[in-house]
Amino acid sequence: MYVELIALALSGGHAVAAPAERQQQAAEPQQALAIVAEPRIVKPEDWSRACKDGDDWDKPGPPFKVYGNTYYVGTCGITILFVAGENGTVLIDTGTEKGIWLALENVARIGHDPTRIGLLLYSHEHFDHVGGMAAAQNYTLAPMLASPEAAEVLRTGKDNPRDPQAGMHEPMRPATNIIAIEPGRPVTFGGIAFTPISTPGHTPGALSWQWEACERDVCKTIVYADSLSPISSDTYRFSDNPEYVAAYRAGLAKLGALECDILLTPHPSASEMITRARNGTLEGGMTCAQYADSKIKALDERLAKEAAGK
């Protein structure tokens, strides 16, 4: 079954916000971004020369086509994706409050109007990936989809107490117009079906996404897999939270079983995106199964350290 986002079809692919909300959003400062009439989209190998593993989250990087209708518009250190459907466009993640403007500029550089972005998706509810969500909504008036666990974090800008990294980050600007969705049920927008997969672990409300991109008659399945690294505050112990660990493992099992021609991750280095891009394509290299296995190993190592009292 598909989630029908009827409101998104209104006003040229945008959700119609309440008048008070529109007035508040319109009062926010906005940057004018020039749309490139004849865009020059660099190749993946050009991006790999401009960026390197470990780059700053806000270091500008050139946009490039991943495959078909899917483009990388993020910074060198943070993945942000733009998907152009037949009658609507989608932005996945926003980066930081500074990074979102670099991403929107990259959208304009590939010849698309960033104000016409109709839907916002995310990977997990930390500031380095969704810190710019409020700014993106103010600029585009687009709604965002979120898991029930992440929705409250995005609405308030405050950490979920169940987050292993709770208390480590400054509050984010709250987002609005959030639609809670059921993971596992595909969402169609712009003629593209996006399937959200619940992959908690790095955060309680994390989602991975799967969709299809085509070039002529050749279609590839893209998976944007969440970070899934067992990072936490000094006081958090995964072993004290067995239900959380069980959900963590269940998400990794689902991720590892996905059809996955092209793997992308919120931090490019996590799936060797720059190394793969040097070959001119992000196809091949690390698979979803290999990525999931690496995260299972990291979780097991973390649990072993906790058991050893380290």
Side-chain angles (χ1 to χ4, degrees):
M1 295 179 64
Y2 294 97
V3 176
E4 293 186 9
L5 302 175
I6 298 174
L8 302 182
L10 302 177
S11 188
H14 292 74
V16 179
E21 183 181 358
R22 282 187 175 275
Q23 184 177 4
Q24 180 182 5
Q25 290 174 328
E28 294 282 343
Q30 296 185 355
Q31 298 179 217
L33 301 173
I35 303 168
V36 177
E38 297 182 4
R40 177 184 177 272
I41 303 169
V42 306
K43 297 178 180 179
E45 57 265 38
D46 297 322
W47 172 73
S48 73
R49 285 191 284 269
C51 303
K52 63 181 185 298
D53 287 337
D55 267 345
D56 185 84
W57 292 341
D58 293 330
K59 178 183 174 181
F64 69 92
K65 179 184 285 192
V66 175
Y67 190 84
N69 56 11
T70 300
Y71 300 84
Y72 186 103
V73 295
T75 63
C76 284
I78 296 290
T79 300
I80 304 171
L81 301 172
F82 177 80
V83 186
E86 293 179 359
N87 51 13
T89 57
V90 177
L91 192 72
I92 310 178
D93 276 342
T94 65
T96 65
E97 281 200 88
K98 180 179 179 181
I100 181 56
W101 295 107
L102 299 172
L104 294 176
E105 182 179 354
N106 276 342
V107 171
R109 288 173 66 184
I110 62 174
H112 287 270
D113 182 352
T115 68
R116 303 304 296 169
I117 291 169
L119 185 63
L120 300 167
L121 307 179
Y122 78 105
S123 56
H124 67 265
E125 62 275 28
H126 280 165
F127 77 98
D128 47 335
H129 304 285
V130 295
M133 193 62 72
Q137 288 191 315
N138 290 338
Y139 193 79
T140 66
L141 301 185
M144 75 167 298
L145 306 185
S147 68
E149 293 81 2
E152 186 63 19
V153 174
L154 293 159
R155 289 191 186 103
T156 65
K158 299 178 181 178
D159 288 340
N160 184 330
R162 296 178 58 241
D163 189 330
Q165 297 182 50
M168 294 177 63
H169 310 131
E170 293 294 323
M172 300 179 289
R173 289 179 61 193
T176 59
N177 200 4
I178 299 167
I179 302 171
I181 58 170
E182 179 184 344
R185 294 183 63 193
V187 176
T188 54
F189 185 79
I192 302 169
F194 296 88
T195 300
I197 299 100
S198 178
T199 48
H202 194 68
T203 67
L207 292 177
S208 298
W209 294 90
Q210 182 188 50
W211 68 96
E212 191 175 73
C214 301
E215 292 186 357
R216 297 179 180 174
D217 296 330
V218 181
C219 296
K220 304 289 183 181
T221 299
I222 296 177
V223 171
Y224 186 44
D226 189 46
S227 296
L228 286 161
S229 51
I231 299 172
S232 73
S233 66
D234 292 339
T235 58
Y236 184 90
R237 287 171 53 87
F238 285 91
S239 52
D240 291 340
N241 297 273
E243 291 184 2
Y244 192 80
V245 171
Y248 197 158
R249 292 191 185 280
L252 286 168
K254 286 184 285 188
L255 178 63
L258 290 177
E259 181 181 351
C260 176
D261 295 315
I262 299 174
L263 170 65
L264 307 172
T265 50
H267 291 279
S269 59
S271 59
E272 303 172 350
M273 286 172 59
I274 291 178
T275 299
R276 288 185 283 146
R278 292 193 186 107
N279 297 322
T281 179
L282 289 174
E283 289 185 68
M286 185 176 288
T287 66
C288 283
Q290 291 170 334
Y291 180 72
D293 285 345
S294 72
K295 299 307 178 184
I296 292 170
K297 180 180 179 182
L299 176 59
D300 287 342
E301 289 175 349
R302 172 61 187 264
L303 292 169
K305 286 182 179 180
E306 290 181 2
K310 296 181 180 179

